[in-house]
Amino acid sequence: MNLSEYISSLKAYTGFKGEIVSHRTLKPIKPKFAGNLPDFDHDLTPLIKEFGIFNLFSHQKTAMDHILAGRHTIIATSTASGKTLSYNLPVIDRLLSDSSSKALYLFPLKALARDQLDTIQDLLDRTAALTSASAPMTASAYDGDVSAHHRTRIRQNPPGILLTNPEMLHLAMLAHHHLWEGYFKNLTHVIIDEVHTYRGVMGSNMAWVFRRLRRICQFYGSDPVFIFCSATIANPKNLCCRLTGLDAALVDESGAPSGQKDVLLMRGSEGAAQTAITLIHAAVHRKLRIIVYTQSRKITELIAMWASQRTKQFRDRITAYRAGFLPEERRSIEKKLSCGELYCVVSTSALELGIDIGSLDLCILVGYPGTIMSTWQRAGRVGRDGKPSALVLIAHEDALDQYFMNHPDIFFTMPAETALINPDNPMICTAHLECAAAELALRQDEAFLNSPVVKKALKKLEHAGRLQLNVSGDIWHAARTSPHREVSLRSTGTSVPIFMEKTRRHLGDIDRYRAFFDTHEGAVYLHHGRTYEITRFDYDKNVVEAIPKKLSYYTRARSSKTTRIITIQHQKKILNTQVGYGLLRITEQVTGYDRKLVSTGRSLGIVPLDLPSLEFETQGMWIQIPDAVKDKIESAMLHFMGGIHAMEHAAIGIIPLLVMTDRNDLGGISTPFHSQVQSAAVFIYDAVPGGLGLCRQAFDQAGDFICRILDAVSSCPCDTGCPACVHSPKCGSGNRPIDKTACIEILKQITTPGKQITAPKQISIPDTLPETPPADPPRTVARPRQADPFRQADPFRKDQLSRLNFTEQADPAPDPAPDPDSSPALSSSSEETSLRYGVLDIETRRSAADVGGWNKAGKMGVSCAVLYDSNSEMFHNYAQEEIKQLCIHLQQMDLVIGFNILKFDYKVLNGVCDFNFHALPTLDLLVKIHEVLGYRLSLDHLAQHTLGTSKSADGLIALKWWKQGKIDKIIQYCTQEVRVTRDIYLFGRDNRFLIFKNKAGARVRLPVSW
């Protein structure tokens, strides 16, 4: 009665006159029951009846039949339709048959797993009491809140059902699978709950986590059944296949009942937040239980704070809930909400999923969530058990919200969106390949390594030294034992912690990219209704510090952006223009921030910032604006730049009608002239490095997309532009300039048939378009061979290299990009043959201990210096008294090669000769090796594994020989060291790799480029 009276009062309230644009009552749906129970191996009837269930819903029976038959299964039915029972009963049936079998329950949030633990353990306890279970049936949560001691006990004695989250699977289980051998060996079921959340960045990461999980299972001999649970989306089968590579049976016809639901759409003319506070105030006074969803952390905190201040007698019954809260804070809120202690919780999407928060009456959406799927998922959080409930959507003043206010029929009839992932995102693919190799060496015959994207990523990792290819070229080993902690599953970058200044108390975390916009110095940060001022943003060390401060304003960053097209993947003529799609490079710089009063939104001024630019590559589309259109707009005295800027904002605002995303996943740039396009253009791009395929869907529907932009802008009743059509809440230039009239005219010109507009031609660009005209390429001057009476061939070189030249490479590496530190003369074989190079090594008279340390190398003195000259093919030796002749000889070289030559040999030589050795064109092999590996290798180690030889002695013996006056032995030793260095250089030059034994004891290739 309170709910129906609340709705009646809401509609009758004079303050909301004209605000409610639509009210529809969704009628109750009757249940559809299955005729009988599935064919379990055990009689589970007593267990089912124990929970007051006498009939299974039709979809539950269908799903269980598939699972019991060993089929991978997708259960895509509405919220609160009994999906949990659909997989719990088959798992229990298997546990009763085989007490050693294991099931993995994966939830996207730790809170969800914790919420389900007690329910599942209760189910197991009742099963044990009602059946003849041969062994105890247990369930455990395995997450970051579990103590180290308890985690060890779980690993050593895993429960029948283990509940965990993606991060623990990634960081703890797969990374240390050898500690879980018994568990993976007996894994029979993998349940992936809320699979629709695995889209975008997280879904793209999870696709690789699941590939790695299946590799580990195969390694230990198990082949578990995968069970996916999803809310209503357009492509559940395709999503699950893309995530795991598995074909699965789809169950998407629900037999569950639902109660009556009243749905109201409101304009929120006085502001969506203020309207929500009024609705909260009226609801808590009627003792209704409410959940309010917002679209940002900041507005979540503000609404909870303002609602508490307005309803003081219930202020302890209203709270905020969002990601970034500490685990114990979230847990306390969930418990209070479930038991009825709280009347109202204001949440971000963090409470959209299936955490048990009790029976609620009213769901208020402060702004459209961005997808129809999320809208009905949130609506399903209220009115459980068939009770009446209500959903109120309060529109924000942005394009999509207002589009639904103007077209309510579309809101109620719009189908569910398609969930997109992009496992081929190069950043994500590269990160997980390294993790997979650290878990189990990658073998060339593994099917998932065959795609061009993966092959390219393997080469990139190999040349970066993060993967090491074995000598035969068919197995990749990871250079590091645990690269997993550098991989964030929920972003393509890293998170930045926010600390209280001086106390170092942890307040929360923020994505590094967002940190430049939201936690720069001077930014206002909200946490639990309190305002903090950011006092330090160290972008090099990834640290943010803040102090509590009462402030009457909030901050918004300002930025500037540019883009360049790297590759064009698709182009097509649409209406009167050309639309393209491809890979873009985005450069963005935060230039300052605006301080705005909370009460009025009035600007208090712009504060400049000096921050480095952010650059990344992503996927995007562009709409070319014909020159004829530009001329017409300017002839009509309209603001052309303001028109295309408005068009950019409107396009970003309307894309979620076509793609499962929100405007925060997208970015845009409008330019009156782009040098590559050769005309004006509007760019829309995925605001995620590497891209997610969002703009590709918009490109595929480009005609409909452009027409919807025009419809959204022209149907808005404002005169000059507003947030409902062409203003953006995140515009880096403060929505200046904006010209709505020009925008409408531009869109009409390119969409109206019969307009005398010639569409632009398709564009073409080179693979790399330089910012400035290229300089003349460097030239190599070939030096003539000089007659040398002392010239003699080195027989060792020819014999040794004939045995060492690798010709049986499984997959030759492509030539890597030229190294800017190397001589340009090494870019081709013809230039290499004309290159005159020298290989230098010296031996000293004194040790580091004799002179007081390696930092005093200049005092060590020279006992012998040997220089190999590729022109004469001879080894020339010099005493300390002849170093000036050595300098003359070195100056004739195109390249001087050595091993640790920069930090040692040159420093020693500088102590006996006033010559700038560091000005010589030098290649230090040790430096190049360190750049790839991150640690050093000895010359002797490389010689043994690459050349099958070694040095004749070592430096300590050479020092002893100096004291004994055996200079001939020193020259012989130094000559051999030069010979080895030369052949290491030549082997690396000709084969593009060296061979060494890594820390795990495997002989692997070390990619080099010199």
Side-chain angles (χ1 to χ4, degrees), residues 606-723:
I606 297 173
V607 180
L609 289 171
D610 183 18
L611 293 172
S613 60
L614 300 163
E615 187 174 282
F616 62 94
E617 293 181 3
T618 187
Q619 300 165 338
M621 63 176 292
W622 55 92
I623 304 170
Q624 295 175 236
I625 312 299
D627 290 340
V629 173
K630 181 180 180 181
D631 293 341
K632 286 178 179 293
I633 297 301
E634 292 179 341
S635 297
M637 304 298 289
L638 297 174
H639 198 305
F640 179 73
M641 181 61 214
I644 59 173
H645 191 193
M647 180 178 164
E648 171 208 327
H649 288 179
I652 293 173
I654 216 69
I655 275 189
L657 282 175
L658 309 174
V659 182
M660 195 172 192
T661 185
D662 64 57
R663 69 186 309 152
N664 291 318
D665 295 329
L666 300 160
I669 296 173
S670 43
T671 174
F673 181 81
H674 193 275
S675 59
Q676 293 168 291
V677 175
Q678 288 293 299
S679 70
V682 173
F683 289 82
I684 310 296
Y685 58 86
D686 297 0
V688 173
L692 296 172
L694 304 175
C695 288
R696 176 56 195 266
Q697 278 206 345
F699 171 80
D700 290 342
Q701 305 173 64
D704 183 34
F705 176 41
I706 295 172
C707 291
R708 289 205 185 208
I709 299 171
L710 175 58
D711 185 28
V713 179
S714 59
S715 65
C716 183
C718 73
D719 293 326
T720 60
C722 69

Side-chain angles (χ1 to χ4, degrees), residues 480-779:
R480 298 182 293 171
T481 56
S482 186
H484 300 69
R485 292 206 168 272
E486 295 180 8
V487 180
S488 170
L489 300 183
R490 299 174 196 269
S491 70
T492 54
T494 56
S495 294
V496 177
I498 303 170
F499 295 107
M500 186 85 82
E501 188 181 83
K502 296 181 181 178
T503 67
R504 303 293 290 175
R505 181 167 69 86
H506 186 201
L507 288 175
D509 300 283
I510 189 170
D511 178 79
R512 188 177 189 276
Y513 180 81
R514 290 306 319 162
F516 280 77
F517 296 84
D518 296 342
T519 57
H520 52 76
E521 289 185 9
V524 176
Y525 177 73
L526 282 172
H527 184 78
H528 266 320
R530 299 189 66 184
T531 54
Y532 295 81
E533 183 178 41
I534 303 299
T535 56
R536 178 188 174 209
F537 173 40
D538 190 327
Y539 44 81
D540 288 325
K541 296 181 179 178
N542 284 342
V543 173
V544 173
E545 291 183 353
I547 56 172
K549 201 170 186 180
K550 288 187 177 181
L551 298 166
S552 60
Y553 61 86
Y554 62 92
T555 54
R556 179 172 293 161
R558 288 189 167 233
S559 64
S560 60
K561 292 185 286 187
T562 59
T563 185
R564 296 195 68 76
I565 303 170
I566 301 174
T567 57
I568 300 172
Q569 296 174 1
H570 302 281
Q571 291 186 88
K572 59 185 178 183
K573 182 179 182 297
I574 295 292
L575 306 170
N576 298 326
T577 189
Q578 285 282 344
V579 180
Y581 176 81
L583 188 64
L584 307 176
R585 180 177 292 117
I586 307 298
T587 303
E588 184 166 14
Q589 184 163 26
V590 176
T591 57
Y593 64 95
D594 202 351
R595 296 186 299 171
K596 295 192 172 186
L597 284 173
V598 173
S599 56
T600 63
R602 182 172 64 85
S603 175
L604 299 176
I606 297 173
V607 180
L609 289 171
D610 183 18
L611 293 172
S613 60
L614 300 163
E615 187 174 282
F616 62 94
E617 293 181 3
T618 187
Q619 300 165 338
M621 63 176 292
W622 55 92
I623 304 170
Q624 295 175 236
I625 312 299
D627 290 340
V629 173
K630 181 180 180 181
D631 293 341
K632 286 178 179 293
I633 297 301
E634 292 179 341
S635 297
M637 304 298 289
L638 297 174
H639 198 305
F640 179 73
M641 181 61 214
I644 59 173
H645 191 193
M647 180 178 164
E648 171 208 327
H649 288 179
I652 293 173
I654 216 69
I655 275 189
L657 282 175
L658 309 174
V659 182
M660 195 172 192
T661 185
D662 64 57
R663 69 186 309 152
N664 291 318
D665 295 329
L666 300 160
I669 296 173
S670 43
T671 174
F673 181 81
H674 193 275
S675 59
Q676 293 168 291
V677 175
Q678 288 293 299
S679 70
V682 173
F683 289 82
I684 310 296
Y685 58 86
D686 297 0
V688 173
L692 296 172
L694 304 175
C695 288
R696 176 56 195 266
Q697 278 206 345
F699 171 80
D700 290 342
Q701 305 173 64
D704 183 34
F705 176 41
I706 295 172
C707 291
R708 289 205 185 208
I709 299 171
L710 175 58
D711 185 28
V713 179
S714 59
S715 65
C716 183
C718 73
D719 293 326
T720 60
C722 69
C725 56
V726 296
H727 285 189
S728 169
K730 61 172 194 170
C731 178
S733 60
N735 290 296
R736 296 188 181 90
I738 289 288
D739 190 328
K740 177 183 176 180
T741 304
C743 174
I744 293 172
E745 188 57 34
I746 291 169
L747 288 165
K748 284 181 178 179
Q749 291 286 330
I750 64 176
T751 58
T752 305
K755 287 281 185 181
Q756 297 301 311
I757 298 295
T758 302
K761 295 181 180 180
Q762 291 191 351
I763 64 171
S764 61
I765 60 172
D767 291 338
T768 303
L769 196 75
E771 297 290 340
T772 56
D776 291 335
R779 291 181 300 150

Side-chain angles (χ1 to χ4, degrees), residues 208-389:
W208 281 99
V209 172
F210 291 133
R211 282 162 174 75
R212 289 162 45 206
L213 172 61
R214 292 185 63 203
R215 283 185 84 226
I216 298 298
C217 289
Q218 185 178 28
F219 179 76
Y220 289 111
S222 64
D223 187 16
V225 175
F226 279 72
I227 303 154
F228 309 89
C229 294
S230 175
T232 304
I233 55 175
N235 63 328
K237 189 175 178 74
N238 172 266
L239 174 64
C240 295
C241 181
R242 293 266 290 160
L243 280 169
T244 61
L246 297 170
D247 186 26
L250 175 63
V251 179
D252 59 355
E253 292 187 9
S254 177
S258 63
Q260 174 179 304
K261 194 180 296 290
D262 286 277
V263 181
L264 295 91
L265 305 185
M266 297 185 65
R267 290 195 181 279
S269 300
E270 299 301 318
Q274 293 301 322
T275 301
I277 291 166
T278 302
L279 295 180
I280 294 169
H281 182 264
V284 296
H285 278 280
R286 289 172 171 82
K287 305 294 177 66
L288 295 175
R289 301 188 60 226
I290 319 125
I291 184 166
V292 181
Y293 286 104
T294 71
Q295 294 173 295
S296 70
R297 295 181 177 190
K298 186 176 289 187
I299 200 65
T300 294
E301 294 277 9
L302 288 172
I303 289 177
M305 179 176 66
W306 292 336
S308 298
Q309 292 171 351
R310 182 168 175 178
T311 316
K312 292 185 178 179
Q313 66 267 43
F314 298 114
R315 66 186 311 164
D316 295 331
R317 303 264 181 130
I318 301 172
T319 188
Y321 183 104
R322 61 171 176 81
F325 281 9
L326 299 177
E328 55 270 23
E329 294 174 328
R330 295 198 302 269
R331 223 46 69 69
S332 173
I333 294 170
E334 292 159 15
K335 184 177 179 181
K336 290 178 181 179
L337 192 60
S338 181
C339 71
E341 186 177 337
L342 288 173
Y343 282 167
C344 175
V345 62
V346 186
S347 175
T348 58
S349 59
L351 274 179
E352 181 178 311
L353 305 180
I355 298 171
D356 183 6
I357 51 177
S359 180
L360 305 179
D361 305 300
L362 174 62
C363 176
I364 300 173
L365 304 180
V366 185
Y368 176 64
T371 66
I372 285 293
M373 186 277 296
S374 287
T375 301
W376 297 118
Q377 180 79 357
R378 295 178 183 188
R381 304 296 280 140
V382 299
R384 296 200 169 200
D385 303 322
K387 295 179 181 178
S389 61

Side-chain angles (χ1 to χ4, degrees), residues 916-953:
N916 185 6
F917 290 92
H918 286 86
L920 295 169
T922 304
L923 172 63
D924 191 327
L925 303 188
L926 183 60
V927 170
K928 291 296 179 184
I929 290 164
H930 187 274
E931 286 176 357
V932 178
L933 289 180
Y935 57 89
R936 295 184 172 200
L937 294 175
S938 70
L939 181 63
D940 199 43
H941 178 104
L942 287 167
Q944 289 180 37
H945 293 287
T946 304
L947 306 175
T949 187
S950 63
K951 303 191 301 183
S952 60

